[in-house]
Amino acid sequence: MKTFLITIATLISVSTFAQKNFEAEMSKSLIEWKQNSSSTANFEQLSKDFPKEWLPKYYLAFSEVLSTFENKNIEENYKKLDKAKAIIDELQAENLMNPEILNLKALYLTAEIVQNPMQKGAENTPIIQQLYTKSLVLNPSNPRSVLGSAEFNINLANYSGANITQDCENVKKALVLFDTDQPKKNEPKWGKDRAENLLNNQCKSIL
């Protein structure tokens, strides 16, 4: 019995050390990424070193998707999106009930529309809206879900001419939720600056 208890204690200690080591490396990688958003090598390595952790894969895919909104090289963007899609598919298979991954999938599909509006607009729009709806059902207080849905509708209104008053109200709601958002260590907490930008621009004449 004594040997058994020692073995259990050792396993717990090793597991705790590994988790702390991961969190430290993840924090370091995020700091470097915020300083240089094109620096994703650390996320690549962490994904290999800690294959059961979802955050390195999330930030790797998130970074690839974000970069396509600013890059005008369509060929490069498609390569980035193909890479992101493979990661997101893996994440979804492992984390079916994670709102952050649903939001990431919606952002990826939005990036596809940006690359090819004529082909992907009608195809992706209902899927994106469904993803945000599901994300909000899972967690109505997730500010990235509230903001993502509202922002997508606001941008869509540029083409459809739809009334965005309620969407702008939801941007205000998201801004309040950002102030109370308390994600676990290193989990996503981005978006507040985007909400502020929307309120100061697209929603300025409405609210």
Side-chain angles (χ1 to χ4, degrees), residues 69-70 147 150-152 154-155 158 164 167-168 170-176 178 190-207:
F69 287 103
E70 300 176 356
L147 173 64
E151 184 176 23
F152 180 76
I154 289 169
N155 289 328
N158 292 330
I164 61 171
D167 296 302
C168 287
N170 286 337
V171 174
K172 286 177 64 177
K173 176 183 176 181
L175 202 54
V176 172
F178 276 115
W190 57 268
K192 186 175 182 179
D193 57 334
R194 289 170 62 175
E196 292 172 338
N197 183 61
L198 282 170
L199 286 179
N200 292 328
N201 291 280
Q202 288 96 318
C203 294
K204 187 174 183 179
S205 61
I206 296 173
L207 298 179

Side-chain angles (χ1 to χ4, degrees), residues 73-152:
N73 189 315
I74 301 296
E75 185 177 346
E76 284 184 5
N77 287 343
Y78 275 123
K79 289 180 180 179
K80 289 175 177 290
L81 290 176
D82 284 344
K83 180 178 180 180
K85 182 180 185 302
I87 298 170
I88 293 169
D89 287 346
E90 181 182 348
L91 283 170
Q92 279 197 293
E94 297 171 351
N95 304 270
L96 291 174
M97 308 297 283
N98 189 325
E100 299 295 354
I101 294 172
L102 295 175
N103 296 338
L104 177 59
K105 178 67 175 289
L107 189 64
Y108 156 78
L109 291 172
T110 303
E112 276 198 336
I113 294 177
V114 171
Q115 303 307 312
N116 191 339
M118 295 299 293
Q119 179 182 346
K120 292 295 184 178
E123 178 183 339
N124 286 7
T125 291
I127 303 173
I128 292 168
Q129 292 171 331
Q130 288 168 12
L131 285 166
Y132 282 128
T133 297
K134 184 176 180 179
S135 180
L136 286 165
V137 168
L138 290 171
N139 183 2
S141 298
N142 185 312
R144 280 160 297 285
S145 303
V146 177
L147 173 64
S149 178
E151 184 176 23
F152 180 76

Side-chain angles (χ1 to χ4, degrees), residues 4-14:
F4 174 74
L5 292 175
I6 291 174
T7 301
I8 293 297
T10 301
L11 290 173
I12 292 173
S13 297
V14 170

